[in-house]
Amino acid sequence: MPTAFAGTTDLDRETLLAAPVRCPRPSALAAPLKVTPSKAAEAADQLGLHTVGDLLEHLPRDRREARTVGALTPGESATVVVQVRSITSRPVRRRGMKPLVEATIADETGVMKATFFNQPWLQQRYAPGTRLVLHGKYEARNRFKVTSHAPTDERTGGEGKVAHYPATEGLSSTQILALVRAHLPAAHDAIDPIPARVRTGARWPDRASALIAAHAGDHEAGRRRLAFDELLLAQLSLLRRRAHRREARSAPVLDAPPDLSRRWRETMLPFTPTGDQHAAMQALTEELADGRPMQRLLMGEVGSGKTVVALHAILRAVENDMQAAFMAPTETLAEQHFATLQALMPGEAVRAALLTGSTSAARRTDLLGKLATGELSFVVGTHALVEPDVRFDRLAVVVVDEQHRFGVRQRAALDAKAPDGLVPHVLHMTATPIPRTMALLRYGDLDVTALRELPRGRQPVSTHVASTDGERARAYERIREELDAGRQAFVVCPLVEESEALQARAATVEYERLRGGELKDYRVALLHGQMRSRAKQEAMLAFAAGNADVLVATTVIEVGIDVPNATVMLVEGAERYGISQLHQLRGRVGRGEHASLCLLFGPKDSARLRALATHGDGFELARIDLELRGEGELAGTRQSGLAQFKIARLPEDEGLIVDAKVYAEKLLRTDPELVAPEHALLADALAAAYGAAEPAPLPA
């Protein structure tokens, strides 16, 4: 027989049944959310509010001032909880206007008139005695102009704060508030996936208390606990996926003596690698010698030398008598990388080729045959590399540039081209520095290497935002000064051809205008993505060889172009680009011995453009970009269809992400499959969020 807490008295059945104890009922949270009228129900669907649980996880954005009727002052916007005493409607003289509804409403402190516009049906819906939560503006003559409203079971109003919810047309914040108040008791039915021992150690409230606090108490404390749950599941998914991949598959062991790669690095490179490059190459050497497949992300500042590190990995494959592939997202970029790699490669020791959609049929047939027999040791290409008829003899290393532009299936298709039973080692590269917050979330399943050190000789780039006609005239004057000094310039346009819908300078039109205008005395070339492959290559080669003074281009020059003699860049319509893209473009200048200049034409009040004019560090710009764009744009998916986080906020919850990762790592070290009884609820939550099998990709 059970006994009383901290005592020895036996408890009989009647006493036990009367005890204030309840078992959570998850079915209560899974119950469909009933919303009326139909327009509001449709709006709830748009917000993803399908069940009671969805509603309770739809947290308020902030707090509005709640007031009593007697304390309102004219001109004040406020929320009140009142009771309808009487309600009428009267016609409005203005043609097309629906009858005006007026209600006498009151709380314990006073009475006033409420006005509802264009909603005559409210006279029948809000009969005398109905309790309402109203938001609006208190005006002179004791009138309250209602902007949003909903019925409520709330018995009292009063001073303080009321929750303000993300809403949409057809379902206002006030209506959501009324729904939450009606369903908040269901929070007690929430299942808590975090073991009690962990909660008490971290001083977290239980999940039910957190839900209630987030809506009607200490909002931030409740939100942080719920955000931790969300981030913990994300980290568990990433870490389990990484572990499954490393344990379930094997990769070629590349442990032969580094004769070729050492000779190339010490005697053939035209420069001395930076400390960061040396460290990255050493890490790659160790991982490639392991039989577990490498999955590493190499990110670096503009011009930090990622290609050199990638070539080291490729040479390790070659000197182990294996093959390597380098995949780029566009033909232009693939061509640029191929030219760069050829210039850096150790002579005839590496037989390489380029494969894109523009490769001729005869050339393609010859190339595919040599790949299949192993005669070619290295290929650079686009999506063409993943096509079924592309077969490798012994693929060991894959480099994926700007990997976020490729889908999961495309990367998996390359995995399938390794020798039977093996998968290749993969080096992902990105020229966009990633702030720590997003590195923990987007790429938590990858090892991350950052190249922050710039090679010697890189010059600072002075950046200015310009918008006036006088500034434009001075900009062309500065370009001419640089050209007269024997240097070169880029002019970047956001469009290929003019568009009536977009007021932006088009590359083709600007090319013709500059040739006959401000730069008529100079050699001007044109480059954009819609040109034929040969024409693009000729334009790039002409500019790189110094046979063109100015290159008018679209963003095809964003990555891969290396012309040390280019010292000035003018970007038209700069506000149309993101921070990272502008930083990449700016990285095309300042690569030689001369100081360089970047001119951004756009609104001077743009926070993005001001950030670029102030900062040259790509990692700092990435952090600013995350703050400016917020989670809405960043927490999408890595081609997986996973929605953004509901509760966690980026980047402000970085501390929670770190805590979640530390706990996830500790948990998986002791119970990798979450089979311990105390982890059963956590395993269920993880399966519900990401699936029970191979964990799904995470937000990117």
Side-chain angles (χ1 to χ4, degrees), residues 138-455:
Y138 184 67
E139 299 180 327
R141 299 189 301 279
N142 200 32
R143 289 186 173 275
F144 192 77
K145 189 176 181 179
V146 178
T147 56
S148 60
H149 54 87
T152 181
D153 293 329
E154 190 81 6
R155 302 307 303 169
T156 59
E159 302 287 334
K161 299 284 188 178
V162 293
H164 179 207
Y165 292 86
T168 189
E169 184 178 355
L171 189 66
S172 68
S173 171
T174 306
Q175 291 170 292
I176 295 173
L177 173 62
L179 284 168
V180 168
R181 285 179 168 176
H183 290 93
L184 195 55
H188 292 289
D189 291 305
I191 295 294
D192 199 325
I194 307 297
R197 173 175 48 82
V198 176
R199 290 202 311 271
T200 55
R203 296 191 175 184
W204 288 119
D206 62 76
R207 186 170 178 83
S209 298
L211 282 167
I212 293 170
H215 290 284
D218 187 342
H219 167 74
E220 184 58 14
R223 186 200 70 81
R224 285 178 60 81
R225 161 61 217 269
L226 299 172
F228 177 79
D229 289 5
E230 196 172 41
L231 295 168
L232 174 61
L233 295 178
Q235 290 298 326
L236 286 171
S237 178
L238 279 170
L239 294 172
R240 289 181 75 195
R241 181 167 62 144
R242 176 181 176 180
H244 288 171
R245 182 174 55 216
R246 290 177 67 85
E247 293 170 6
R249 299 178 180 181
S250 298
V253 177
L254 307 182
D255 59 355
D259 299 332
L260 175 62
S261 57
R262 182 187 295 118
R263 187 171 74 253
W264 162 76
R265 188 172 61 251
E266 294 176 354
T267 65
M268 300 179 186
L269 269 181
F271 52 82
T272 301
T274 66
D276 281 355
Q277 287 174 316
H278 270 300
M281 288 188 276
Q282 180 60 34
L284 291 180
T285 298
E286 293 173 1
E287 283 189 286
L288 294 172
D290 193 334
R292 293 176 297 180
M294 178 185 76
Q295 287 284 340
R296 180 168 290 275
L297 172 68
L298 180 66
M299 63 177 178
E301 181 61 271
V302 175
S304 58
K306 295 179 293 297
T307 305
V308 171
V309 176
L311 184 52
H312 170 79
I314 291 164
L315 293 179
R316 286 298 294 150
V318 173
E319 60 194 353
N320 278 269
D321 196 30
M322 301 293 282
Q323 292 173 299
F326 190 117
M327 189 163 71
T330 66
E331 285 195 13
T332 300
L333 194 51
E335 291 162 358
Q336 292 166 8
H337 276 307
F338 184 62
T340 301
L341 290 165
Q342 276 192 312
L344 292 172
M345 273 190 280
E348 297 297 323
V350 181
R351 298 200 60 185
L354 175 68
L355 176 63
T356 70
S358 298
T359 302
S360 67
R363 171 64 177 154
R364 177 185 172 85
T365 300
D366 178 64
L367 192 155
L368 293 185
K370 291 177 178 178
L371 274 180
T373 61
E375 187 177 345
L376 269 180
S377 52
F378 172 44
V379 63
V380 178
T382 56
H383 304 76
L385 292 179
V386 304
E387 292 178 5
D389 61 343
V390 179
R391 298 182 180 86
F392 292 82
D393 181 42
R394 47 190 187 278
L395 180 64
V397 171
V398 172
V399 179
V400 182
D401 189 36
E402 296 301 320
Q403 61 88 37
H404 58 279
R405 299 196 196 181
F406 293 99
V408 174
R409 291 181 181 176
Q410 290 166 325
R411 296 195 296 269
L414 267 180
D415 281 354
K417 294 182 182 296
D420 289 343
L422 300 176
V423 295
H425 300 281
V426 181
L427 179 65
H428 307 269
M429 296 204 311
T430 178
T432 303
I434 301 164
R436 183 167 180 251
T437 306
M438 296 313 299
L440 288 167
L441 288 174
R442 283 183 183 170
Y443 306 109
D445 58 336
L446 306 179
D447 296 305
V448 178
T449 295
L451 301 183
R452 294 176 176 268
E453 217 177 331
L454 293 180

